[in-house]
Amino acid sequence: LRSLRPGRNAQTVQFETMRKGRSAYSNYVHASFGGLGRVTIARGDRGGSVETSSPTNSVWFGRFLSGCHRRMGDLWIPDRALTIDEVLAALSILEDDWHSHSSQPGLLLDIALTGALIVAGGGAGLRGEECPQIELGPLRKHWPEGEDHPRAPHVPLVLVGRFKQPEGLKLYFQPLAVKSASGIEYKLWIQRAIGVWQMLGVTSGPLFRTMATKSRSVRRATIADLDNLLHDILKRVQTRMHGVLP
């Protein structure tokens, strides 16, 4: 029944979405009284076998899922990387915006954060969910070290979070060039983002932040929160420069 529900990218949901029902049902059974019994045997997460009474772990259900997958197939829509030309075009538009709205801190913030998102994500090779982990406080603290380095001035990009499953929160340093050979201004855009936040009285916490809907408190943004910034500038590139972004 779930496989017949409307999907986002196709008429119906994808197999990977449909099969989540199996996990939900088996978790429910295993968390309930009598969930572990001598009906079927399933392989455990760490090897070995576990006796379970969940019908979703039966041989028949495993073959049923295999048959579903073969019939439904997969519609794979990967994200495409931005090209250098697209990045330079986006930054060029943002540069014009920056000078056009120099007296409006609210608009300058969105412009600076969009530029910082593009250069930090691309320059540091960050995955989407890693971009919001950039931390303003340590970035400001170590900025003079990168700026005044005697041999290799750089941008001391600092992320806060869990990396490769260490215990507790860690600081992760990713130095970036001041400017790339292709003309991408890493330092300029991250420095602008820091400066606008300082104008607004913010000197610590996440570089990318948003307001929680219910509690009205500041929280670290998710990559979904930043989608609008990225897609808005790409739409403008597409509108103005068809040769760069068809």
Side-chain angles (χ1 to χ4, degrees):
L1 289 175
R2 189 175 190 190
S3 70
L4 299 177
R5 292 182 181 177
R8 289 186 179 179
N9 302 310
Q11 185 176 356
T12 57
V13 298
Q14 297 293 296
F15 174 77
E16 292 299 326
T17 301
M18 184 268 287
R19 68 189 292 268
K20 293 179 182 178
R22 176 190 185 184
S23 299
Y25 186 83
S26 62
N27 288 337
Y28 163 74
V29 173
H30 296 156
S32 62
F33 179 76
L36 295 179
R38 299 192 175 216
V39 180
T40 59
I41 297 178
R43 183 172 298 278
D45 293 337
R46 298 182 180 179
S49 300
V50 178
E51 293 181 345
T52 170
S53 61
S54 174
T56 58
N57 291 113
S58 66
V59 174
W60 180 89
F61 198 88
R63 291 179 176 177
F64 163 73
L65 273 188
S66 178
C68 278
H69 196 184
R70 291 186 181 188
R71 287 175 178 270
M72 294 176 67
D74 293 296
L75 179 61
W76 187 53
I77 305 179
D79 293 330
R80 178 177 67 78
L82 295 179
T83 66
I84 293 294
D85 290 336
E86 290 165 354
V87 170
L88 291 174
L91 295 179
S92 175
I93 293 174
L94 291 172
E95 184 70 28
D96 293 340
D97 290 348
W98 177 265
H99 294 292
S100 300
H101 301 90
S102 57
S103 60
Q104 299 171 277
L107 292 176
L108 285 181
L109 181 62
D110 281 349
I111 296 167
L113 289 180
T114 303
L117 177 65
I118 292 174
V119 301
L126 301 179
R127 295 173 177 155
E129 69 275 6
E130 292 172 341
C131 290
Q133 291 180 295
I134 300 174
E135 195 75 7
L136 189 57
L139 184 57
R140 287 171 49 86
K141 177 181 177 181
H142 296 280
W143 190 267
E145 299 174 16
E147 194 168 43
D148 302 330
H149 195 283
R151 289 180 292 104
H154 59 275
V155 177
L157 198 67
V158 186
L159 283 71
V160 173
R162 290 181 171 84
F163 304 95
K164 297 186 178 179
Q165 299 179 341
E167 294 183 1
L169 297 177
K170 305 290 183 182
L171 293 183
Y172 178 82
F173 286 78
Q174 174 65 62
L176 299 180
V178 173
K179 182 178 180 180
S180 74
S182 56
I184 299 175
E185 300 271 6
Y186 296 113
K187 178 182 176 181
L188 176 67
W189 284 105
I190 295 176
Q191 191 172 34
R192 282 175 173 175
I194 295 173
V196 178
W197 275 129
Q198 186 171 352
M199 288 171 53
L200 298 173
V202 178
T203 57
S204 61
L207 180 67
F208 300 105
R209 59 183 68 199
T210 188
M211 189 74 70
T213 304
K214 294 183 178 179
S215 62
R216 304 303 298 170
S217 59
V218 174
R219 65 171 176 83
R220 188 179 301 276
T222 65
I223 193 59
D225 297 322
L226 303 178
D227 270 350
N228 287 337
L229 293 179
L230 182 61
H231 286 102
D232 284 349
I233 187 61
L234 291 180
K235 287 177 182 177
R236 294 175 65 190
V237 172
Q238 191 176 52
T239 301
R240 296 189 187 186
M241 309 170 187
H242 292 292
V244 173
L245 184 56

